Amino acid sequence: MATCSDEIDCARRLIAAAPRIVVLTGAGISAESGVPTFRGAEGLWQRYRPEQLASPEAFADDPRLVWEWYGWRRTRVAACQPNAAHLALARFALAHGKTLIVTQNVDGLHADAALAAAGDVDPGPALPIELHGNMFSVRCTACQRVWRDTAAVDASSRDTLPTCPECRALARPHVVWYGESLDGAQISHALCQAELAAACVVIGTSGVVQPAASIAAVTAQAGGEVIEINPDETPLTALCSVSIRSGAVAAVPDIFDLGSEPAEGRVQ
Ligand code: NAD
Ligand code: ZN
């Protein structure tokens, strides 16, 4: 494998030459914003596996415990800002158009970066597909109404949990839990774009949660290049023509800051 700086140069060239790009991100891109990955969970939450809390069964058994976990995560994330990697991707998508950002993250930082980068222009091209939802959205368990809710969660008792403003039924985080299906239109769109993409850039995901992980495989099977940015190897590494073993903040701005002059030439 070439040295890291060569890998970054290869990635820049591939991205500059690609008519379409899909970027798939996971918890690792937000780690340097201070958002814990599941593997980095702290305190009380080290005693639980995410599967024990992020499931419809867990919510049915103990909605107070599940809301307490989301309340803790929301407080942590509310104190975080998009980092240089989120911002570089948003600026690139706004400037070059040809990019679809697909995230497994529920922290909303890509959307925040899109708004920050857009200023007065339409942030649309930089807004991500949030495959697993957003922790600042909630959904009524009865009438299915969805709304944005950034307030602190009071999980001191079952009676203080968020409820629907319409029908007063218990609300739940509007995220996709283990055992639940993704939004069909969103995943179809992501897979379709992955098939058309000349390059899929995979950043900060362990590549084990399906169907998100198959996005990179679809690009590879269709003849596109897969570029991975992750300090560790993952099951997706075998698909990659370029693997950059570093954190997102050290690599993504270098790769995506192409300036006004796209780099010339194609990687042979
Ligand atoms: P994961 O925790 O399984 O894997 C994180 C990956 O990021 C690892 O491969 C790790 O090596 C890599 N990584 C760590 N630090 C990095 C850095 N600085 N730069 C680049 N990569 C780095 O995360 P996942 O693959 O996204 O899957 C976990 C599931 O958990 C997803 O479904 C997601 O919805 C959810 N989750 C989301 C958040 C969030 O919204 N920020 C946080 C935790 C978990
Ligand atoms: Zn309702």
Side-chain angles (χ1 to χ4, degrees), residues 116-152:
D120 293 337
V121 306
D122 173 15
L127 288 175
I129 290 185
E130 294 174 320
L131 278 181
H132 295 166
N134 186 311
M135 65 166 75
F136 297 104
S137 285
V138 291
R139 182 166 87 237
C140 176
T141 55
C143 73
Q144 309 304 321
R145 178 190 161 125
V146 174
W147 66 101
R148 184 161 167 85
D149 175 16
T150 55

Side-chain angles (χ1 to χ4, degrees), residues 21 34 44 50 58 64 104 191 215 227-228 247 250 267:
I21 299 162
L44 166 68
R64 200 207 59 75
Q104 298 164 88
L191 290 169
I215 288 171
I227 299 164
E228 180 176 62
V267 173

Side-chain angles (χ1 to χ4, degrees), residues 75-92:
T75 304
R76 286 292 303 255
V77 169
C80 298
Q81 303 291 328
N83 63 43
H86 297 105
L87 289 167
L89 286 172
R91 282 191 209 106
F92 182 90

Side-chain angles (χ1 to χ4, degrees), residues 201-219:
V201 186
V202 183
I203 308 169
T205 175
S206 54
V208 294
V209 178
Q210 291 294 353
S214 60
I215 288 171
V218 165
T219 299

Side-chain angles (χ1 to χ4, degrees), residues 32-184:
E32 289 164 272
S33 289
V35 181
T37 63
F38 280 164
R39 280 190 286 172
E42 297 151 28
L44 166 68
W45 307 114
Q46 276 177 336
R47 287 199 270 123
Y48 297 91
R49 282 181 292 110
E51 301 86 326
Q52 287 176 279
L53 297 164
S55 76
E57 294 78 17
F59 191 72
D61 277 359
D62 194 345
R64 200 207 59 75
L65 178 69
V66 173
W67 263 121
E68 188 179 10
W69 185 50
Y70 276 93
W72 173 78
R73 292 175 64 198
R74 274 163 54 150
T75 304
R76 286 292 303 255
V77 169
C80 298
Q81 303 291 328
N83 63 43
H86 297 105
L87 289 167
L89 286 172
R91 282 191 209 106
F92 182 90
L94 285 168
H96 298 270
K98 61 186 184 177
T99 311
L100 177 67
I101 300 169
V102 182
T103 189
Q104 298 164 88
N105 294 345
V106 294
D107 56 34
L109 291 178
H110 281 296
D112 291 350
L115 292 171
D120 293 337
V121 306
D122 173 15
L127 288 175
I129 290 185
E130 294 174 320
L131 278 181
H132 295 166
N134 186 311
M135 65 166 75
F136 297 104
S137 285
V138 291
R139 182 166 87 237
C140 176
T141 55
C143 73
Q144 309 304 321
R145 178 190 161 125
V146 174
W147 66 101
R148 184 161 167 85
D149 175 16
T150 55
V153 177
D154 180 354
S156 53
S157 82
R158 171 78 169 68
D159 295 336
T160 58
L161 299 180
T163 53
C164 177
E166 202 72 28
C167 74
R168 313 312 309 170
L170 180 64
R172 57 162 277 181
H174 185 46
V175 297
V176 180
W177 282 332
Y178 290 95
E180 294 185 321
S181 301
L182 274 58
D183 179 287

